[in-house]
Amino acid sequence: MTDPQAIQPSALDQLPDRDPEETAEWQASLDAVAKAAGPHRAAYLMRRTLERAEGNGIALPKLLETDYVNTIPTAAEPSVPGDEEMERKITAWNRWNAAAMVTRGSKHGVGGHIATFASAAWLYETGFNHFFQGKEADGSGDQLYIQGHASPGIYARAFLDGRLTERHLDNFRQESGGDGLPSYPHPRRLPWLWEFPTVSMGLGPLSAIYQARFNRYLTHRGIKDVSASHVWAFLGDGEMDEPESTAALALASREGLDNLTFVINCNLQRLDGPVRANFKIVQELEAQFRGAGWNVVKSLWGSAWDELFQLDTTGALVRRLREVPDAQVQTYQTRGAAYIREDFFGKDPALVELAKLLSDDKILECFHLSRGGHEARKVFAAYKAAVEFKGAPTVILAQTVKGHTLGEGFASKNANHQMKKLSVDEFKAMRDLLELPIPDAQFVDGVVPYGHPGADSPEVRYLQERRAALGGPAPARRTHALAPLPAPADKAFASFDKGSGSQNVATTMAFVRLIKDLVRDKETGRRWVPIVPDEARTFGMESLFPSLGIYSPKGQTYEPVDRDQLMYYKEAKNGQILNEGITEAGSMADFIAASTAYSTHGEAMIPFYIFYSMFGWQRTADQMWQLGDQLGRGFLVGATAGRTTLTGEGLQHADGHSPVIAATNPAALSYDPAFAYEIATIVKDGLRRMYGEAAPGEDPNVFYYLTVYNEPMPQPAKPSVPGLDEGILKGLYRFNTAESAGVDVAAANAPRIQLLGSGTAIHWVLKAQRLLAEEWGVASDVWSATSWTELRRDALEADAALLRGEERQPYVRRALQGAEGPVLAVSDYMRQVPDQIAQWVEQDWSSLGADGFGLSDTREAARRHFGVDAESIVVAALAQLARRGEVKATAVKEARERYGL
């Protein structure tokens, strides 16, 4: 029977063979080795040959997997500077206090995680002792993305170096009473320590990539040289299943981000059990990262394995390690030497002979304890290789044991993620293993004591000296005393006060025009960071391409096809625009990095991210929450907003709910402006609040969400009304009255209704105002509701003030006070959006909105379908007035028939 591989066509068959005889000799040699020495030897030679070719720069496909051994052999490991024994003692104290903190907290039912830090302790400690740069030099230092479940270990270290007290540790996960510690890295909750929130898994690795990229952006644009900063992301192997974890790997390698290192703690376990029970997660990740162009360093085995590898003269041990699935490796961790001899070594005669040379204690030391991620020397070698590698990012795959040093009841047990405490006896066994001087007498009434060698002890002095040499404590978040950015020239905003005259202008275009003016400002223009996910032309931003340039670390290595046009596609190394391709998640990660540069690097940057409103909050709301937690500042702009304005696109493009999602984020100030002058007023005030001088009681750590529309409409001049700006910013003002609008209402005592509209709905409301007057004799006042959400928040604050005994009236009630008739609110979103304020409106309330799925049709047809067009507003208004007895009930039926409803 013919071997199918022998006749399988190959891409190589299409290449000319200059010397078929030489080719045949190489093939014959390979056949001879396979026949004489076996296929394993042939495979070994081929792998080494390919590695040599790769090392010599010969263009061949890279090996995606290497053997299941350490990348850096023992003989090539550099010596670890410093005092290894002192570092062992420090790590022991931190292990103890991390476990004690969670165990003591478990008595209050607040939970916590022990096993993750136990496995990763040396991954962190080696970095803190030798690599992680602090912020006392240039204010930037390194950026550390700490794995969320490892937070107890970071708190334990901060306790050892004097930044936290026992009171803090006892308030782990108990923040309401003061001196509390948040469960995970939360900058908003502990802003002097944590820089980056990471516990929403997958967002840490994605953000780390874009942070490293933004560091390059700042340097290339000449804002600040942060080329010395290194980004470290500590991740779990189970976390890598999240799609965001690997979404931007190609970006990192494509742009050569050698200022980035991923450290993946491969303890082979996720929350419920093995990460890859029947496979090998390390090998899978290695192939994934190598395929994406990353440098991969594996640190799998500790020094106890050195003897075993030296005895492996046939390669049988390496082959066996490659084939054993991860779940079986976990089983070895919990079984005795006899089981390991039979199951691991007994599968191959060569391994049976090797095992005869090993004592039971040696086997248990290797399979129970010795992992690359548990030895400072192995970790140091991996980290040094990472920071010295140039041209690509590095991922370190460090194998550990989840629950290491916590005792047999924890190590590698499937349930250890849910195990929140150790018994007193288990702590005493841990104390003996770690050689800590904690006497039994300190265990009072079954309470586990915290351990501390003393503020002036050799351990603490050593720890603090190492951090001083590396630029100060870490992790640490800095609040820089930045001077307020000067306000842009007022003419950039005032130009919108005149309106557009006879020209129809969409509010999307109005916003882009405002940005064009602001980025030209001599003082602050260079600090704007325009971010767009491959839709710049949709939003009319192509005119910014040649003037600002699109950021690319390689500049422009080609001649663009539209080079002879005025608005050609210009890429530049110092480009200002971040055009991310089709990735809302990547664009949001950009925004987060830019919006927090005021803290990370002491440089205030003003990001605005413009996107299809349907694909912003709906797709990346978790990142919006991350943005709020990280205290980010900037402008999110949901363009082509609304459920009925995007003609022909259909339900997956029709946004009827983004303001609802935005309202759930406490840091988001959500606005739905109707007119260009409202946009200018909101942006101007946002710049003041976030980057200028915030008023007393105002939190500058907010971000703005503006919905803008693609429907060209007349833009009116800004009314000369007292308190107008306050109304725009607080969320509601009267745009006109029936009298000021010039509509003719026949009866002097005509029925009256208040019409509230937001965004593009204001135009249907204005048409309804005319129809009500001209055809039904009803007077109406029109109000622009720029922010339903801000109105609600103000009302909630007023309610809270009343409970404290303070007299305060909600703004919406004050604004509508004395307004005659019922209120009808209309928006291009689901009714839930305007209904947010219903309970604080004293008048009779009703609303219209676009509830349900969107549909493909014209704007007019879509609005009629949802019952939000001008005619539908008229019918709804008449119905409200009829219920009050102010118009005849027959008028409602007549109107429905007249308008075909």
Side-chain angles (χ1 to χ4, degrees):
M1 181 177 179
T2 304
D3 180 3
Q5 294 296 323
I7 60 174
Q8 184 72 24
S10 166
L12 294 176
D13 296 337
Q14 302 175 48
L15 303 178
D17 191 343
R18 295 185 306 171
D19 192 340
E21 184 176 344
E22 181 184 38
T23 303
E25 290 175 357
W26 275 77
Q27 293 172 335
S29 297
L30 182 63
D31 292 342
V33 170
K35 184 176 181 180
H40 295 306
R41 177 61 180 169
Y44 176 85
L45 291 175
M46 286 301 300
R47 292 172 72 88
R48 293 298 175 262
T49 302
L50 286 170
E51 288 173 356
R52 175 58 63 89
E54 182 179 332
N56 289 338
I58 299 173
L60 285 174
K62 292 184 177 182
L63 287 171
L64 294 185
E65 287 186 31
T66 59
D67 289 325
Y68 203 68
V69 296
N70 295 347
T71 301
I72 303 170
T74 301
E77 291 173 2
S79 59
V80 181
D83 188 332
E84 291 187 56
E85 176 59 21
M86 189 65 67
E87 292 176 16
R88 185 198 67 77
K89 292 179 179 178
I90 291 170
T91 304
W93 286 115
N94 291 338
R95 287 183 182 278
W96 176 272
N97 287 322
M101 178 196 329
V102 176
T103 297
R104 287 165 68 127
S106 69
K107 294 186 176 181
H108 303 288
V110 295
H113 299 284
I114 301 177
T116 294
F117 178 73
S119 67
W122 277 113
L123 302 180
Y124 291 106
E125 292 298 323
T126 303
F128 286 130
N129 288 328
H130 300 288
F131 291 94
F132 303 157
Q133 297 294 318
K135 298 179 178 296
E136 292 182 354
D138 65 355
S140 292
D142 288 354
Q143 287 80 57
L144 308 180
Y145 288 78
I146 305 295
Q147 191 179 2
H149 292 137
S151 63
I154 309 305
Y155 291 140
R157 192 171 219 273
F159 169 65
L160 201 65
D161 72 10
R163 292 196 291 166
L164 293 176
T165 66
E166 285 194 15
R167 175 175 169 78
H168 287 109
L169 300 192
D170 267 344
N171 284 326
F172 174 59
R173 292 192 168 197
Q174 299 173 76
E175 299 178 76
S176 61
D179 287 337
L181 298 180
S183 52
Y184 303 121
H186 290 304
R188 187 169 285 274
R189 289 298 183 213
L190 202 60
W192 60 268
L193 180 73
W194 299 120
E195 272 197 290
F196 308 107
T198 54
V199 80
S200 189
M201 292 190 180
L203 299 190
L206 179 68
S207 293
I209 290 174
Y210 281 90
Q211 181 66 57
R213 198 283 196 90
F214 188 75
N215 290 356
R216 290 280 174 86
Y217 172 89
L218 284 179
T219 301
H220 289 159
R221 287 199 53 220
I223 302 292
K224 181 180 181 181
D225 184 357
V226 295
S227 54
S229 291
H230 200 89
V231 178
W232 300 82
F234 289 84
L235 316 168
D237 46 2
E239 181 178 4
M240 301 311 294
D241 284 346
E242 290 284 3
E244 295 89 350
S245 295
T246 55
L249 297 186
L251 167 70
S253 61
R254 183 170 66 244
E255 299 200 359
L257 298 181
D258 50 24
N259 60 338
L260 170 68
T261 297
F262 276 15
V263 181
I264 303 182
N265 178 16
C266 297
N267 57 35
L268 314 185
Q269 286 184 254
R270 52 189 177 200
L271 308 190
D272 287 333
V275 178
R276 293 290 182 272
N278 297 298
F279 306 94
K280 302 190 79 63
I281 186 60
V282 168
Q283 300 300 86
E284 178 183 320
L285 291 174
E286 178 183 29
Q288 194 168 15
F289 279 87
R290 282 186 182 276
W294 286 53
N295 175 45
V296 179
V297 177
K298 294 195 289 192
S299 183
L300 307 180
W301 307 111
S303 56
W305 284 82
D306 291 347
E307 179 184 346
L308 274 68
F309 288 126
Q310 290 173 359
L311 295 173
D312 181 30
T313 58
T314 66
L317 176 61
V318 174
R319 290 195 300 273
R320 181 67 178 139
L321 289 174
R322 192 166 60 236
E323 69 187 21
V324 176
D326 284 351
Q328 192 63 21
V329 173
Q330 299 295 82
T331 299
Y332 295 149
Q333 176 71 34
T334 62
R335 300 297 177 89
Y339 178 88
I340 298 171
R341 284 183 186 276
E342 178 181 353
D343 191 86
F344 180 84
F345 293 99
K347 304 295 184 182
D348 187 304
L351 292 180
V352 171
E353 294 303 312
L354 187 153
K356 292 178 181 178
L357 305 175
L358 305 174
S359 67
D360 286 355
D361 287 344
K362 182 66 175 180
I363 289 175
L364 293 179
E365 180 187 12
C366 289
F367 284 84
H368 284 194
L369 301 174
S370 187
R371 300 291 187 273
H374 293 327
E375 295 187 14
R377 184 175 294 271
K378 304 292 184 182
V379 176
F380 182 89
Y383 284 9
K384 189 171 188 293
V387 297
E388 292 178 354
F389 190 87
K390 301 303 176 185
T394 294
V395 59
I396 295 170
L397 303 175
Q399 185 164 263
T400 66
V401 174
K402 193 167 186 177
H404 183 59
T405 72
L406 296 181
E408 294 182 0
F410 265 83
S412 291
K413 295 297 175 68
N414 283 339
N416 61 19
H417 188 78
Q418 305 302 326
M419 298 162 69
K420 313 298 184 186
K421 59 184 178 180
L422 280 72
S423 67
V424 169
D425 288 341
E426 288 172 325
F427 265 107
K428 290 179 178 179
M430 180 183 177
R431 171 201 61 189
D432 296 341
L433 175 66
L434 298 176
E435 300 177 355
L436 291 173
I438 301 175
D440 287 353
Q442 290 190 16
F443 291 81
V444 179
D445 296 328
V447 177
V448 180
Y450 294 120
H452 200 293
D456 196 40
S457 64
E459 293 95 327
V460 173
R461 288 201 307 270
Y462 180 88
L463 181 156
Q464 293 174 340
E465 288 168 2
R466 292 304 308 143
R467 289 312 313 158
L470 288 166
R477 180 182 180 275
R478 288 296 175 88
T479 302
H480 299 268
L482 300 180
L485 291 183
D490 197 57
K491 64 179 182 180
F493 307 102
S495 63
F496 292 88
D497 293 351
K498 300 176 182 178
S500 63
S502 60
Q503 182 183 8
N504 289 339
V505 177
T507 51
T508 297
M509 294 301 101
F511 177 82
V512 172
R513 179 184 148 193
L514 175 62
I515 294 300
K516 288 178 183 177
D517 291 340
L518 292 175
V519 296
R520 294 191 187 104
D521 185 83
K522 292 181 180 179
E523 296 289 338
T524 59
R526 65 197 291 262
R527 296 191 175 274
W528 283 88
V529 183
I531 303 168
V532 60
D534 202 37
E535 288 280 6
R537 297 182 193 278
T538 301
F539 307 135
M541 293 175 59
E542 63 268 32
S543 62
L544 297 178
F545 289 169
S547 58
L548 301 185
I550 299 165
Y551 172 71
S552 169
K554 291 185 176 295
Q556 194 154 36
T557 61
Y558 62 92
E559 183 177 355
V561 66
D562 54 359
R563 182 61 183 87
D564 57 343
Q565 298 178 17
L566 182 62
M567 294 184 288
Y568 72 98
Y569 194 82
K570 177 186 175 183
E571 296 188 80
K573 192 171 184 177
N574 64 346
Q576 193 165 350
I577 301 170
L578 292 172
N579 191 318
E580 291 305 351
I582 306 174
T583 167
E584 288 83 7
S587 299
M588 267 307 301
D590 261 337
F591 187 90
I592 293 170
S595 71
T596 53
Y598 73 92
S599 172
T600 308
H601 295 298
E603 295 288 344
M605 304 301 288
I606 313 171
F608 79 88
Y609 165 33
I610 187 168
F611 49 87
Y612 265 88
S613 67
M614 182 67 164
F615 304 141
W617 286 88
Q618 177 169 297
R619 286 199 176 189
T620 59
D622 198 10
Q623 286 178 285
M624 313 300 197
W625 199 266
Q626 178 189 14
L627 166 65
D629 191 353
Q630 201 166 316
L631 289 78
R633 306 169 183 174
F635 297 95
L636 297 175
V637 184
T640 60
R643 181 145 279 165
T644 69
T645 63
L646 197 57
T647 56
E649 289 284 8
L651 68 87
Q652 288 188 338
H653 285 66
D655 171 25
H657 54 282
S658 70
V660 177
I661 309 175
T664 65
N665 192 310
L669 276 61
S670 178
Y671 286 91
D672 186 26
F675 305 122
Y677 67 79
E678 294 177 352
I679 293 174
T681 301
I682 294 164
V683 172
K684 180 180 180 180
D685 194 69
L687 290 173
R688 175 200 61 79
R689 176 170 178 172
M690 295 185 291
Y691 301 97
E693 296 187 8
E698 273 188 330
D699 182 4
N701 299 316
V702 295
F703 59 94
Y704 284 68
Y705 176 53
L706 279 70
T707 47
V708 294
Y709 299 83
N710 70 324
E711 184 174 14
M713 299 296 288
Q715 296 298 325
K718 187 175 183 179
S720 297
V721 178
L724 177 62
D725 283 3
E726 180 190 25
I728 292 173
L729 298 173
K730 285 190 172 294
L732 184 69
Y733 68 95
R734 181 154 40 197
F735 176 71
N736 69 24
T737 64
E739 293 75 17
S740 65
V743 295
D744 184 17
V745 181
N749 60 345
R752 186 175 288 266
I753 188 170
Q754 306 300 316
L755 301 178
L756 280 57
S758 68
T760 196
I762 200 79
H763 300 286
W764 327 327
V765 169
L766 288 169
K767 182 180 177 181
Q769 181 187 43
R770 294 193 300 272
L771 291 175
L772 282 166
E774 295 168 2
E775 300 186 10
W776 304 98
V778 172
S780 56
D781 301 337
V782 172
W783 300 69
S784 179
T786 53
S787 179
W788 309 102
T789 302
E790 287 305 294
L791 291 172
R792 175 179 175 81
R793 287 177 177 169
D794 173 82
L796 290 172
E797 290 173 5
D799 286 355
L802 286 173
L803 292 176
R804 296 192 299 267
E806 303 171 17
E807 287 297 326
R808 180 176 166 188
Q809 192 175 30
Y811 174 82
V812 64
R813 186 170 295 167
R814 285 190 284 118
L816 290 170
Q817 194 166 29
E820 185 181 347
V823 168
L824 174 60
V826 188
S827 81
D828 203 17
Y829 300 94
M830 56 198 303
R831 289 176 60 184
Q832 184 176 340
V833 175
D835 284 349
Q836 293 179 85
I837 65 170
Q839 73 185 80
W840 292 281
V841 174
E842 293 181 323
Q843 294 87 345
D844 291 343
W845 173 272
S846 184
S847 64
L848 295 176
D851 287 79
F853 287 112
L855 76 165
S856 300
D857 215 313
T858 64
R859 293 186 179 111
E860 294 75 15
R863 285 163 189 165
R864 176 56 58 91
H865 170 81
F866 286 110
V868 293
D869 59 350
E871 291 78 7
S872 298
I873 295 172
V874 169
V875 173
L878 292 173
Q880 260 190 300
L881 292 168
R883 285 194 294 271
R884 294 162 58 96
E886 296 180 18
V887 301
K888 294 180 180 180
T890 56
V892 181
K893 179 180 179 183
E894 182 184 346
R896 284 201 301 266
E897 293 173 351
R898 180 182 301 183
Y899 300 135
L901 297 176

